[in-house]
Amino acid sequence: EAQVTQNPRYLITVTGKKLTVTCSQNMNHEYMSWYRQDPGLGLRQIYYSMNVEVTDKGDVPEGYKVSRKEKRNFPLILESPSPNQTSLYFCASSPGTSGYTFGSGTRLTVV
Amino acid sequence: QKEVEQNSGPLSVPEGAIASLNCTYSDRGSQSFFWYRQYSGKSPELIMFIYSNGDKEDGRFTAQLNKASQYVSLLIRDSQPSDSATYLCAVKGPGGFKTIFGAGTRLFVKA
């Protein structure tokens, strides 16, 4: 089944404790992206990647890091999480010409 | 001015009616336009994309694009209660990499 897999689905952590949210797609898509979704603000792009080793900042990259060492994987790293990073996170992938396929989401709470 | 604007709604229509969802965007160089549906607690799913001026039909859904007016719309014919969801408009920018989402319009279809 073609899909984007994110883990974990839910995460509660403390301020400052480094964490990684994993994302993997099995569709051989070139484009991958991370979004966060907050009430009233919609989906905001954090980072995107056009291919292996090619990444760029989206609209809200502060406090996040990404890497794209393999085509299928695009992890999101929070080096020192803060409460304002409490949000619903989505990973998505695309072949480029059409729209995104989204993962199931990761609900992160930073206390 | 937001880059992609949608009326937040809620938009309420009776079952069987036509639901009309609207979206405007600010970047005249935008190339691709997408409509996603998001049920409560779920991830967005792509329902339509359009690249050229005019109408594009897929089953009960019609996307309309007017680049001169920087306007894209989604019509849902014969609306069903199962169409009740938040509809997200998304626009891919001139470089073809960044995709910006509107905040979404909530649609309620009353049985």
Side-chain angles (χ1 to χ4, degrees):
Chain A
E1 179 189 355
Q3 59 185 359
V4 177
T5 303
Q6 287 180 237
N7 281 296
R9 290 291 309 276
Y10 302 91
L11 179 59
I12 301 175
T13 190
V14 296
T15 300
K17 185 177 181 181
K18 181 180 179 180
L19 66 92
T20 299
V21 184
T22 63
C23 175
S24 181
Q25 51 97 1
N26 62 1
M27 296 167 281
N28 201 36
H29 286 170
E30 291 184 348
Y31 294 91
M32 297 187 74
S33 187
W34 276 101
Y35 287 87
R36 60 178 289 175
Q37 187 172 38
D38 301 288
L41 297 177
L43 284 160
R44 293 180 292 167
Q45 195 168 36
I46 303 170
Y47 270 94
Y48 59 96
S49 170
M50 295 77 82
N51 213 323
V52 175
E53 302 291 4
V54 183
T55 63
D56 206 351
K57 296 178 181 178
D59 293 318
V60 288
E62 296 78 19
Y64 304 95
K65 285 176 57 177
V66 293
S67 67
R68 186 95 181 270
K69 293 184 172 57
E70 305 167 279
K71 197 171 188 178
R72 62 185 291 123
N73 296 324
F74 191 43
L76 179 69
I77 303 157
L78 285 73
E79 295 269 1
S80 183
S82 63
N84 65 10
Q85 292 178 297
T86 293
S87 186
L88 177 59
Y89 291 86
F90 288 105
C91 179
S93 73
S94 165
T97 54
S98 58
Y100 280 116
T101 300
F102 281 82
S104 299
T106 297
R107 188 166 293 281
L108 171 66
T109 302
V110 183
V111 298
Chain B
Q1 180 191 8
K2 291 183 179 178
E3 294 181 75
V4 179
E5 292 208 56
Q6 296 180 254
N7 188 323
S8 62
L11 172 66
S12 183
V13 300
E15 184 175 359
I18 296 175
S20 178
L21 303 160
N22 305 315
C23 173
T24 59
Y25 59 95
S26 60
D27 191 335
R28 284 195 172 274
S30 298
Q31 298 178 337
S32 312
F33 308 86
F34 306 88
W35 284 99
Y36 291 81
R37 176 177 61 200
Q38 187 175 25
Y39 292 112
S40 181
K42 301 295 185 182
S43 55
E45 57 178 325
L46 180 69
I47 52 174
M48 291 283 292
F49 60 89
I50 186 167
Y51 303 138
S52 304
N53 277 328
D55 295 359
K56 180 181 179 182
E57 188 173 318
D58 184 1
R60 296 186 296 113
F61 299 98
T62 299
Q64 299 174 316
L65 175 60
N66 183 326
K67 289 187 177 181
S69 300
Q70 296 174 246
Y71 177 92
V72 58
S73 66
L74 179 70
L75 301 178
I76 306 174
R77 290 181 299 281
D78 188 23
S79 295
Q80 301 297 309
S82 58
D83 294 326
S84 297
T86 296
Y87 288 80
L88 306 171
C89 172
V91 176
K92 187 176 283 190
F97 302 127
K98 289 185 67 173
T99 299
I100 299 171
F101 283 77
T105 299
R106 292 185 67 191
L107 172 67
F108 290 107
V109 180
K110 299 175 293 184

